[in-house]
Amino acid sequence: MKYNFFKIFATFVCVTSANFIEDWDQKAPHRWKRSAKIQPGTLPNKVAPVSYNIKIRPIFYAEKGLQEFTAPGQVSIVVQCVEITKKIILHKHPTLEIEQSTIKITGTSNHTIIDLVSVDYDETTNFILLLLSTNLVPGEQYELFMGFTTTITSNNREDLFWGEYQSPGGNKRRFIMTDLEPFGARKVFPCFDEPRYKTPFRISIARKISGNYTTLSNGELEREGITDPELPKGWVWDQFKKTLPMSTYLVAIIVADFSFKEAPRHIFSKPVRVYAPTYLVKGRNLDFASQTTAKLMRFYEQLLGHSYDMPKLDSIAIPNGLENGAMENWGLVTFSDEYLVYFPGQTLEEDRQEMVSFMAHELSHQWLGNLVTCKWWSEIWLNEGFATYFAAIGVQSLFFEFENGREFLWESVQKAMAYDVNTSEPLVGEDLLNMASDTIVYDKGGALLRMIEGFLGRETLLHGMTTYINQFAYQSVTQEDFFQILTTQALKEGKLPLNFSVSDIMRIWTIQPGYPLIRVSKYSKSSVKIAQEICGNYQTNLKHTLLQYATSGNWVVPISLVTQNNPNFSDHAPKIWLTADRISTTYSHDTTTWIMLNPDAMGYYRVLYDEELTQQILNQLKSNRKIISGLSRSQLIDDYFSLAKLGYIPITQALEMTTFLKGEDDFVVWYSTFTALEKIRNLFGNEDISNFKTYMTPLIESALDTVSWDPKKNEKGTSVIFRAKLLKWACGLDSFECIYKTRELFLKWTSNTNRNPIPLDHRPAIYCSLVAHGGTAAFEHIWKLYTKSSKTSPEKLILMNALACTRTSENLTRVLESSLDPKCDLSQSIPDLYTSLAKNPFARPLLFLFIRNKYNQLKNHTKGVKTFAETVSALSTYFTKESEKREVEELLIEKRADLLEESIQNITISSLNNINENIIWMTQFYEEINTWFKSRAF
């Protein structure tokens, strides 16, 4: 669809909910799936699949008589008639060619051929309708045979696609694979492409004998190298055993010249292999992934109370990555290579945590999604929300040094709430045609499971989960199935309030967008009032509260609480339930002492206390913050800054919540603080940031003094990552202590260049500080290391990001010019490089001028305008001036003819929205915040 490009600049759309999650400065470990739009139409349930037999021959090199990047094949589907009908309707994407002359329908009991009257296609629904000459008989089975040819694309999502990697010797090698969730299977072979249909698959893949290729699929290899006179010369079939019943989106087909590393057999009962290019296997870079996979499989088998019934578990590291990061295909899980390939002594702890988090998520899917599957995509949270929650449990249990269980509050719950406050997307929509976004499906889904844990207890939840998995194994389900299981378990264990089911409590949380704000106010000397309302923009709520309540209803809210006289933050059992019939209540409490709701933030709601109660809590934090749990301290920061953005309280009241931070040593508290202050740091960096620096730098330095600036012996996990984040902020704010330590380390390094004295996980912060403050010698030192480092080394990206920290126009110009030089490695990493440069206030003006003046060269070098648009987007995060907005508008108008593709327009519109919102935000908050920092500066 094409738009009038000038309209982009005439109207700014409202701030999207994505703006509310911009502050998470990390790769989110589970942003690896698409937010797909469901294509209209679900299949009539008159004929259902019983089994598939698929044969496919991917051609991904040019060869005489064979068309490159095509895959001819055939499928035999055994179907069962459910209701009398003359029609068989299944899915076929428009890009899939069906050889109509090959279509054949045969009764399996009597081998009678049923004549085909006509074949119709509906591109809107992707339906292929086969009209038969006679009725199918209910209960009888029939075999449907079809020949087809599909295209092998270069689009690595929802398709059969090809990729390429370069070996250390410089040879380029191709591979092909599938990634089919949610609607990709119908592009590869005709099928009943809905998750509710679960059948066994028998798959055969043809390959060339030459080239040392391996074929992989969901099932075990049964026979390999099978000759067939119908195949071209030099081709053979590899045949795989029949799988367990599974949905079409889980089908996996791979042809690659990879080798594998197998985990020791004593760890897990089934073979566990990790595949990757051979040089990585020889370098032992897969040892960590193979053993971690086996340990996680054993853990989930025990935790969830059901064996892993597939005969093997393969994972494969895809060179150059997958757009979605990973895919949980049953028995053959695909990952971007960065999540499986580990470099001992080079991989940062933050990256190791991300690796195990990705693995845990995908491997938990082998039960949660593969064994038990959502009946329809509108309830995909039964797959993804469950995997998000149980991934954290898996990592916490096996890699306790990472504290994923506590980090879940910041990483998933708070992120979901930031997005969910301004979206119209429910977790489960009554409109079956659309799925919610990733943040809602993954993070809100996981957060709601955590809330269930809060009011039922983890033990009850796990007991219910075991029953759910065993009762519905190899079936598809709805959330009501899950809620009914939990209700039965909770009643058995006495964990539900009278006359409530889990569905009564949870259904409104899934079908209604948003979440409640719980207000707590002094009611009398001996009681407080507790009331719920919809959390959203305060001024909007003032106008529309009654209408919203009338149209959307209220939540059933479990209210747990602690008091100054009973500060047991580990007690998450609800003391009060707010409902549609009881939106407020009073609670007996001595109001001369503090009270806090939602200990450890188990509930998915925000809490706002009146000024007197807020001050009592703040007084406790300043006198002895440890009385209040770290998770609750984290949530206070997140609640108050979020509510200030929404207009409920002055921004200065939120800032007061930072006054207890001196010496704070809990990583979750600081992660939430960094999220809350990220926007202030970004935008003040474009103006006067001195007062912010003066206030924040001593607080961060005090945290580093508490946890220590230097690593401890054999330290690993969250404590290492936390220190690295503190260093990143301290050095980014030009902490004198950071600059001093950087120079000291550089002197040691230059006196003995054979030994790098900078701790591995400190290098991103210290290298950046070194380039920023170390002068020409430091820049040249890092430049030399970058040019000499291996392209596969994790260190190379750290060095590149450091080069982007330079503050001199001469060095910045050198970096920018080199990015378009094909002989320089920087030219292979332009998107990452330009994003790093955009973070540097000294680089932003030069970067903008560069992409404007070198537009054509950049377009040619990057083969399109996506990098240009993404660079504009990166810059828009920091632009705050009307003059900057005008320059961006003028540039986009000038290049409008190249920017008409919808995906590119979305990026440019979002960029303009970012700048406009930044300008509004600065007008609203800058003076007030700057004055507050100035008055509180140490």
Side-chain angles (χ1 to χ4, degrees):
M1 182 183 297
K2 294 187 177 181
Y3 302 94
N4 181 340
F5 198 80
F6 288 94
K7 288 184 179 178
I8 295 174
F9 310 111
T11 305
F12 287 99
V13 297
C14 339
V15 178
T16 65
S17 37
N19 294 125
F20 290 89
I21 59 169
E22 65 189 357
D23 297 336
W24 273 265
D25 184 22
Q26 66 149 26
K27 294 179 184 176
H30 48 276
R31 295 285 73 76
W32 49 81
K33 296 275 173 58
R34 77 293 299 150
S35 301
K37 296 297 181 183
I38 300 297
Q39 300 178 29
T42 57
L43 294 169
N45 197 34
K46 294 189 176 184
V47 175
V50 175
S51 66
Y52 290 82
N53 191 332
I54 301 168
K55 300 181 76 173
I56 191 167
R57 179 163 52 90
I59 305 166
F60 50 104
Y61 278 104
E63 191 173 337
K64 185 177 180 180
L66 300 179
Q67 186 176 347
E68 187 180 28
F69 300 131
T70 62
Q74 59 191 45
V75 61
S76 175
I77 311 174
V78 175
V79 300
Q80 180 163 316
C81 180
V82 179
E83 294 181 22
I84 189 168
T85 181
K86 282 188 176 182
K87 299 175 183 177
I88 297 178
I89 302 175
L90 62 163
H91 286 110
K92 179 201 84 75
H93 192 269
T95 58
L96 179 67
E97 296 180 7
I98 300 294
E99 299 167 27
Q100 191 163 323
S101 62
T102 67
I103 300 176
K104 183 178 178 181
I105 301 99
T106 308
T108 59
S109 61
N110 55 18
H111 305 291
T112 301
I113 296 175
I114 299 175
D115 292 335
L116 181 66
V117 174
S118 64
V119 180
D120 290 321
Y121 303 96
D122 185 334
E123 290 195 4
T124 303
T125 60
N126 292 176
F127 285 175
I128 174 172
L129 187 153
L130 309 179
L131 181 61
L132 311 179
S133 60
T134 60
N135 284 323
L136 301 181
V137 179
E140 288 293 312
Q141 293 186 357
Y142 304 85
E143 182 179 7
L144 168 61
F145 180 89
M146 306 175 86
F148 62 86
T149 300
T150 188
T151 302
I152 303 173
T153 74
S154 58
N155 175 30
N156 68 353
R157 55 179 285 181
E158 289 186 67
D159 222 326
L160 174 68
F161 64 90
W162 70 277
E164 191 173 63
Y165 73 95
Q166 186 170 311
S167 69
N171 297 319
K172 290 186 176 181
R173 301 288 291 169
R174 290 178 181 173
F175 58 89
I176 68 101
M177 63 169 290
T178 52
D179 189 302
L180 302 182
E181 186 182 11
F183 306 120
R186 66 189 68 174
K187 297 179 182 179
V188 181
F189 57 95
C191 57
F192 295 78
D193 197 15
E194 295 179 6
R196 61 180 166 143
Y197 293 117
K198 307 183 78 169
T199 70
F201 286 78
R202 182 182 288 278
I203 296 171
S204 298
I205 306 170
R207 60 174 169 85
K208 291 197 68 173
I209 298 173
S210 62
N212 197 32
Y213 282 102
T214 297
T215 60
L216 296 170
S217 191
N218 307 84
E220 273 188 308
L221 184 63
E222 186 172 43
R223 294 175 61 198
E224 64 178 331
I226 305 169
T227 58
D228 184 343
E230 295 186 5
L231 284 175
K233 185 178 180 181
W235 286 75
V236 293
W237 289 107
D238 289 342
Q239 181 177 300
F240 295 86
K241 290 182 180 179
K242 185 171 65 174
T243 71
L244 296 170
M246 65 183 195
S247 303
T248 50
Y249 76 90
L250 294 171
V251 168
I253 295 168
I254 294 175
V255 184
D257 66 334
F258 291 179
S259 301
F260 66 85
K261 175 65 179 181
E262 185 167 349
R265 288 295 182 97
H266 70 271
I267 301 178
F268 186 59
S269 59
K270 303 289 178 66
V272 172
R273 294 175 173 179
V274 178
Y275 287 79
T278 301
Y279 71 91
L280 292 170
V281 180
K282 291 180 177 178
R284 306 198 67 178
N285 300 110
L286 302 182
D287 291 18
F288 176 73
S290 63
Q291 293 182 36
T292 297
T293 298
K295 291 174 183 176
L296 284 164
M297 292 297 290
R298 181 179 62 191
F299 171 79
Y300 285 124
E301 193 173 65
Q302 294 169 353
L303 179 74
L304 299 173
H306 193 288
S307 62
Y308 175 71
D309 293 337
M310 292 287 271
K312 54 91 176 178
L313 192 285
D314 294 333
S315 299
I316 185 165
I318 306 302
N320 303 315
L322 289 169
E323 184 170 334
N324 300 314
M327 179 60 207
E328 66 268 17
N329 314 302
W330 212 358
L332 177 52
V333 188
T334 54
F335 291 88
S336 292
D337 53 359
E338 62 194 285
Y339 304 123
L340 292 181
V341 180
Y342 180 75
F343 295 87
Q346 297 182 64
T347 297
L348 301 178
E349 281 295 272
E350 183 175 21
D351 294 332
R352 187 169 73 94
Q353 181 185 28
E354 191 169 33
M355 289 175 67
V356 298
S357 297
F358 262 80
M359 284 187 268
H361 183 103
E362 300 306 323
L363 297 176
S364 70
H365 268 311
Q366 304 304 302
W367 289 263
L368 306 167
N370 297 2
L371 182 63
V372 182
T373 310
C374 64
K375 189 163 287 187
W376 184 245
W377 299 112
S378 57
E379 294 186 302
I380 187 64
W381 84 279
L382 296 173
N383 295 17
E384 299 300 349
F386 284 30
T388 299
Y389 173 82
F390 279 96
I393 292 177
V395 176
Q396 180 74 56
S397 300
L398 296 184
F399 298 89
F400 53 86
E401 69 267 24
F402 286 127
E403 299 190 54
N404 276 39
R406 298 185 74 244
E407 190 171 326
F408 191 87
L409 173 64
W410 168 74
E411 185 184 23
S412 287
V413 180
Q414 292 173 2
K415 185 177 292 186
M417 295 178 82
Y419 184 94
D420 199 19
V421 76
N422 198 44
T423 181
S424 59
E425 303 172 26
L427 181 60
V428 175
E430 294 187 3
D431 174 8
L432 294 182
L433 304 183
N434 291 316
M435 273 199 301
S437 66
D438 288 344
T439 304
I440 296 299
V441 168
Y442 289 72
D443 296 314
K444 183 174 183 177
L448 292 185
L449 268 186
R450 183 174 178 269
M451 183 168 73
I452 293 173
E453 177 195 331
F455 67 78
L456 292 186
R458 178 174 289 190
E459 189 172 294
T460 300
L461 174 60
L462 290 177
H463 289 163
M465 185 64 69
T466 298
T467 302
Y468 165 76
I469 289 172
N470 282 282
Q471 182 168 322
F472 293 107
Y474 307 108
Q475 298 180 51
S476 55
V477 295
T478 67
Q479 68 173 14
E480 289 302 322
D481 295 320
F482 175 61
F483 292 157
Q484 181 56 54
I485 292 289
L486 284 188
T487 298
T488 301
Q489 190 68 44
L491 289 173
K492 180 180 178 181
E493 299 184 19
K495 294 297 183 70
L496 275 178
L498 190 65
N499 299 324
F500 271 106
S501 69
V502 173
S503 181
D504 293 333
I505 298 167
M506 294 305 302
R507 185 172 181 274
I508 192 69
W509 293 89
T510 64
I511 66 171
Q512 178 171 291
Y515 51 84
L517 168 66
I518 309 300
R519 288 185 183 266
V520 187
S521 55
K522 182 177 179 180
Y523 189 73
S524 69
K525 291 182 180 180
S526 58
S527 65
V528 293
K529 181 180 179 181
I530 300 172
Q532 71 158 302
E533 62 187 72
I534 294 175
C535 189
N537 181 281
Y538 182 60
Q539 295 302 321
T540 302
N541 278 5
L542 284 178
K543 297 178 183 179
H544 302 296
T545 295
L546 291 178
L547 176 63
Q548 286 177 307
Y549 277 127
T551 57
S552 60
N554 296 106
W555 292 268
V556 180
V557 188
I559 304 292
S560 52
L561 56 86
V562 291
T563 65
Q564 186 170 330
N565 295 326
N566 185 22
N568 182 9
F569 281 81
S570 62
D571 181 5
H572 304 141
K575 306 295 190 297
I576 301 166
W577 289 86
L578 296 181
T579 67
D581 299 325
R582 187 194 187 197
I583 65 171
S584 67
T585 189
T586 57
Y587 182 79
S588 296
H589 172 68
D590 176 5
T591 53
T592 63
T593 62
W594 58 261
I595 183 173
M596 286 188 69
L597 273 58
N598 201 19
D600 287 345
M602 297 299 289
Y604 188 71
Y605 52 84
R606 297 200 184 280
V607 183
L608 179 60
Y609 305 91
D610 67 21
E611 288 189 24
E612 184 176 340
L613 296 177
T614 298
Q615 190 58 50
Q616 289 172 349
I617 294 170
L618 193 55
N619 289 343
Q620 177 65 73
L621 290 169
K622 289 180 177 179
S623 62
N624 184 0
R625 65 178 177 275
K626 296 288 187 179
I627 295 295
I628 296 173
S629 72
L631 294 180
S632 290
R633 301 199 301 273
S634 167
Q635 193 59 37
L636 274 170
I637 293 281
D638 190 66
D639 280 349
Y640 273 66
F641 274 92
S642 298
L643 293 171
K645 289 179 184 179
L646 293 169
Y648 286 91
I649 57 174
I651 188 65
T652 52
Q653 190 173 348
L655 290 167
E656 286 292 335
M657 281 293 171
T658 67
T659 57
F660 75 86
L661 289 174
K662 188 172 184 180
E664 175 64 65
D665 60 355
D666 193 305
F667 76 96
V668 184
V669 179
W670 273 108
Y671 287 7
S672 298
T673 301
F674 290 153
T675 297
L677 298 179
E678 184 82 16
K679 191 178 189 77
I680 296 174
R681 185 187 68 172
N682 288 347
L683 301 190
F684 276 41
N686 208 37
E687 302 285 346
D688 177 11
I689 198 173
S690 59
N691 292 320
F692 177 74
K693 285 183 176 181
T694 303
Y695 176 77
M696 283 305 304
T697 303
L699 291 177
I700 297 169
E701 288 178 338
S702 73
L704 281 163
D705 289 339
T706 302
V707 303
S708 84
W709 289 74
D710 300 315
K712 300 168 186 175
K713 187 177 181 180
N714 299 323
E715 189 178 27
K716 60 182 180 178
T718 292
S719 60
V720 174
I721 299 168
F722 177 37
R723 183 185 298 104
K725 287 184 184 291
L726 288 171
L727 277 172
K728 180 180 177 182
W729 268 75
C731 296
L733 294 177
D734 296 334
S735 155
F736 174 79
E737 188 71 21
C738 172
I739 295 171
Y740 173 80
K741 286 183 176 294
T742 297
R743 289 174 175 167
E744 189 178 52
L745 287 166
F746 185 51
L747 286 174
K748 289 182 181 178
W749 198 0
T750 52
S751 65
N752 182 5
T753 55
N754 293 322
R755 180 182 177 276
N756 186 343
I758 302 172
L760 175 63
D761 294 271
H762 296 186
R763 290 175 189 176
I766 298 299
Y767 284 5
C768 181
S769 178
L770 180 60
V771 170
H773 301 288
T776 301
F779 179 84
E780 293 297 336
H781 185 77
I782 297 297
W783 182 277
K784 184 178 180 180
L785 287 173
Y786 175 79
T787 56
K788 288 186 174 183
S789 62
S790 166
K791 290 181 180 180
T792 60
S793 169
E795 179 94 341
K796 197 168 190 74
L797 179 61
I798 299 172
L799 292 164
M800 184 203 72
N801 289 333
L803 292 173
C805 296
T806 183
R807 298 184 176 185
T808 70
S809 58
E810 179 183 357
N811 288 338
L812 286 167
T813 300
R814 180 178 171 187
V815 170
L816 286 165
E817 293 289 348
S818 297
S819 71
L820 295 182
D821 181 358
K823 296 178 182 179
C824 181
D825 287 350
L826 286 174
S827 67
Q828 306 302 312
S829 306
I830 289 179
D832 289 334
L833 174 64
Y834 288 6
T835 298
S836 295
L837 286 166
K839 295 176 182 178
N840 180 353
F842 296 89
R844 283 174 212 143
L846 289 175
L847 177 60
F848 183 78
L849 286 173
F850 187 80
I851 64 170
R852 185 180 70 185
N853 296 337
K854 302 284 187 177
Y855 173 82
N856 288 327
Q857 294 96 312
L858 178 62
K859 176 184 171 183
N860 292 334
H861 184 83
T862 58
K863 296 180 174 59
V865 295
K866 185 179 180 181
T867 298
F868 166 82
E870 289 177 342
T871 304
V872 172
S873 177
L875 288 165
S876 74
T877 302
Y878 308 94
F879 283 171
T880 58
K881 299 180 176 68
E882 289 285 350
S883 59
E884 292 169 329
K885 182 178 76 171
R886 284 194 300 272
E887 287 181 330
V888 172
E889 288 175 349
E890 290 168 0
L891 176 59
L892 295 180
I893 291 173
E894 179 186 337
K895 308 301 180 187
R896 62 187 179 275
D898 291 340
L899 307 176
L900 294 175
E901 184 182 326
E902 185 174 357
S903 62
I904 300 300
Q905 283 203 31
N906 290 338
I907 296 173
T908 56
I909 291 172
S910 177
S911 300
L912 292 169
N913 282 338
N914 284 344
I915 300 171
N916 194 55
E917 192 234 336
N918 290 347
I919 292 170
I920 294 170
W921 190 94
M922 291 293 283
T923 302
Q924 183 177 359
F925 292 120
Y926 177 74
E927 289 298 335
E928 187 177 10
I929 293 174
N930 199 35
T931 299
W932 189 91
F933 281 132
K934 186 175 182 179
S935 69
R936 299 300 196 282
F938 292 94

